[in-house]
Amino acid sequence: MARATVTELREFAAEAGGGGVDADAELSDGWSVVYCADQPDGVTAAALARRTGAPVLTVACLDSDVGFVEGATFAGGRWKALLNRDTAEDHEIPVDRFPVDVAVAGALDWAAAGGLTADPEGVRAVLTGSESFAEELADRLLGALGIAPAASPRRKRPEIPRRLSHPARLSGPPS
């Protein structure tokens, strides 16, 4: 997601070697998001932040069960989080590698770098919450970070097939 047009985000995804964009949406205040089926090898949030000159957030989903969040700012700030922690434990993913307090602090710093006003309790609720699909938590995370859906979007986000392995590549305005 970026404070960029959908066309620009699609170009970034193509340049990064992504497996194609499955869907896109324009959100509020000039933010846009693209949904990609696959994350190309070696493409990280930090690399995308350097490319876009803006904060970037990626969410890679494992069979829609668990979401791996990586955030980065152009200035070098980085954070990671895990979505659907209970389900992650069922998959034997070491949740202790994703401490919630560290992730909340990183998310709040990321939002501030993007000129957003995040809801600290909302971010914590998402990072400790549980849903049937990790993509639902990813959508809630955007809201908690201060990114609202467009009031009257030109293009509504289509239903994303739950098979996507990398549903969101996100970035924001320069810090």
Side-chain angles (χ1 to χ4, degrees):
M1 177 180 57
R3 190 165 277 164
T5 67
V6 165
T7 301
E8 290 168 323
L9 287 181
R10 284 178 165 273
E11 289 171 5
F12 291 153
E15 289 171 11
V21 174
D22 290 326
D24 56 49
E26 292 180 3
L27 307 175
S28 64
D29 299 322
W31 291 80
S32 299
V33 63
V34 296
Y35 298 84
C36 302
D38 296 303
Q39 181 173 353
D41 292 336
V43 175
T44 64
L48 288 169
R50 286 189 300 274
R51 169 64 178 91
T52 63
V56 170
L57 184 69
T58 63
V59 181
C61 289
L62 172 66
D63 295 330
S64 292
D65 292 336
V66 178
F68 298 91
V69 179
E70 182 184 6
T73 65
F74 182 72
R78 297 177 70 184
W79 63 283
K80 292 186 178 192
L82 190 63
L83 302 177
N84 255 356
R85 297 175 73 82
D86 292 341
T87 305
E89 288 177 337
D90 293 343
H91 283 278
E92 299 181 6
I93 295 169
V95 298
D96 59 326
R97 292 187 184 171
F98 302 90
V100 173
D101 290 337
V102 173
V104 169
L108 297 177
D109 289 345
W110 181 90
L116 301 166
T117 303
D119 171 9
E121 291 308 312
V123 170
R124 180 175 301 280
V126 170
L127 297 182
T128 58
S130 180
E131 291 287 348
S132 297
F133 299 106
E135 292 87 350
E136 294 171 13
L137 287 170
D139 288 343
R140 285 181 39 207
L141 179 60
L142 295 182
L145 289 170
I147 302 163
S152 52
R154 288 188 293 168
R155 182 183 294 182
K156 285 190 150 187
R157 176 181 161 203
E159 178 63 26
I160 304 301
R162 298 299 177 195
R163 63 172 170 70
L164 298 182
S165 62
H166 182 263
R169 175 170 296 127
L170 314 168
S171 67
S175 52

